Amino acid sequence: MLNFFSYFFGQGDEVEFRNFTLAHFLPIIIMLGIIALIIIYGKKIRELKCEGRIRFTLAFIAIISEFSYYWRLVGVTALETSPVDHLPISVCGWAIIFGSFLVLTKNQTLFDIVYFWASAGSIFALFTPTVITYCGPTRFRYYQFWIAHTMEFIIIFYMMFVHNMRPNVKSIFKSFALLLVLGGVAILANNLLPGANYLFMAKPEDTKSILDFLPKNYVLRVFLMLSVVGILFFVAYLPWLILDHKRKKNNLPPVFTPNTFNVDSNEITENESSTKA
């Protein structure tokens, strides 16, 4: 039994996970399936008596998946990890934590942060999950990674299609400003801690990733990363911009407001008014 746990919570010496294989695509397919169900049944989910428990479950899964990453590092001495190498300075990690509080509080600022941070940062982890190169489907880290990262997007779509939440123009600047703060902390840590590479700003990753196109020069690397993130923030908001423009042109209310999802109730109210008249 001890050998099993040592193996399951450990990591391999050779590559166990490869990009664009079944082990890569299956978690993403499951995530897309869950999101599709949320989009289709969002209104029905909102009307459930146990909807609050669903949000609590989502929050519980998200926070446990993130914290278990650190519990594993502390509990498995064979990993020989140093605390300074795993400080909580990551876009994905904080997006998951913010997401867990988002589903509990329905806070607009938290939604803005999770929406843009996931759209402009965490999505790259889905394309090239290099951090689990030595942890395949027989390892705990594989499942922890995929549950944590897919939960970000599940939470976003849940709050959009069940609770009508959406970003606005101010959300872009608010989320980017907070990201700059996190980036500043990462730069400070990278300069003070030997070998640190938080937010992958200091150098390319050890294994192939989508960030390999960035230059090795530190200043140029940071500048390009911030520029790309800024563009991705705009791209993430672009669908809302287009939809709002079309609906305004047709004299319709903005996307994802109470009126958008309560057409039936509005019609009933109008019918009742005409009957009374």
Side-chain angles (χ1 to χ4, degrees):
M1 185 63 72
L2 290 176
N3 290 335
F4 168 77
F5 283 111
S6 178
Y7 174 85
F8 182 65
F9 289 100
Q11 67 179 25
D13 297 323
E14 299 180 354
V15 174
E16 294 185 358
F17 175 86
R18 299 184 184 279
N19 294 333
F20 314 121
T21 60
L22 180 61
H24 186 176
F25 290 129
L26 187 58
I28 297 176
I29 292 172
I30 294 174
M31 176 191 74
L32 294 176
I34 294 173
I35 289 173
L37 292 175
I38 291 172
I39 294 173
I40 295 171
Y41 298 106
K43 185 176 180 180
K44 292 183 178 180
I45 295 172
R46 184 169 64 251
E47 295 171 350
L48 292 174
K49 293 183 179 179
C50 63
E51 193 278 326
R53 294 180 182 178
I54 294 175
R55 286 187 289 111
F56 179 83
T57 301
L58 292 175
F60 180 79
I61 294 172
I63 202 72
I64 292 298
S65 66
E66 176 60 17
F67 283 0
S68 64
Y69 169 76
Y70 297 99
W71 295 338
R72 169 177 171 266
L73 295 177
V74 173
V76 182
T77 55
L79 294 175
E80 297 180 352
T81 55
S82 171
V84 297
D85 295 330
H86 299 278
L87 296 175
I89 309 174
S90 70
V91 172
C92 297
W94 279 109
I96 296 165
I97 293 172
F98 289 147
S100 64
F101 284 100
L102 164 62
V103 291
L104 294 178
T105 63
K106 304 179 189 177
N107 181 275
Q108 182 62 46
T109 298
L110 290 178
F111 175 83
D112 296 338
I113 295 170
V114 178
Y115 178 83
F116 285 105
W117 284 22
S119 300
S122 301
I123 195 168
F124 290 117
L126 301 185
F127 289 136
T128 54
T130 57
V131 294
I132 58 171
T133 298
Y134 300 100
C135 295
T138 59
R139 307 280 188 175
F140 169 81
R141 172 64 169 139
Y142 171 87
Y143 297 98
Q144 181 276 324
F145 172 88
W146 285 112
I147 292 173
H149 286 76
T150 56
M151 279 302 299
E152 294 179 47
F153 296 93
I154 291 171
I155 285 173
I156 289 171
F157 279 89
Y158 186 90
M159 298 310 293
M160 285 196 300
F161 285 90
V162 177
H163 291 285
N164 305 355
M165 299 190 74
R166 56 158 292 175
N168 53 47
V169 176
K170 292 181 180 180
S171 305
I172 301 176
F173 300 99
K174 185 165 45 177
S175 303
F176 191 77
L178 191 58
L179 184 61
L180 288 178
V181 173
L182 184 63
V185 174
I187 291 173
L188 183 64
N190 290 339
N191 285 314
L192 294 178
L193 304 175
N197 188 27
Y198 289 104
L199 302 188
F200 308 111
M201 285 184 165
K203 59 183 179 179
E205 300 175 72
D206 295 332
T207 52
K208 291 183 179 180
S209 78
I210 201 168
L211 297 177
D212 288 346
F213 74 93
L214 292 173
K216 295 182 179 180
N217 180 274
Y218 187 76
V219 176
L220 188 58
R221 184 178 181 84
V222 172
F223 174 77
L224 286 177
M225 287 184 77
L226 292 176
S227 300
V228 170
V229 168
I231 294 172
L232 290 175
F233 269 39
F234 174 76
V235 172
Y237 186 70
L238 190 58
W240 299 100
L241 196 64
I242 296 172
L243 287 171
D244 286 344
H245 176 72
K246 288 184 177 180
R247 295 183 70 86
K248 185 177 181 180
K249 189 176 181 180
N250 295 320
N251 295 319
L252 294 172
V255 183
F256 283 17
T257 65
N259 291 333
T260 306
F261 284 99
N262 295 331
V263 176
D264 295 337
S265 62
N266 290 338
E267 290 177 352
I268 293 172
T269 304
E270 290 176 1
N271 291 334
E272 288 178 349
S273 299
S274 60
T275 301
K276 291 178 180 178

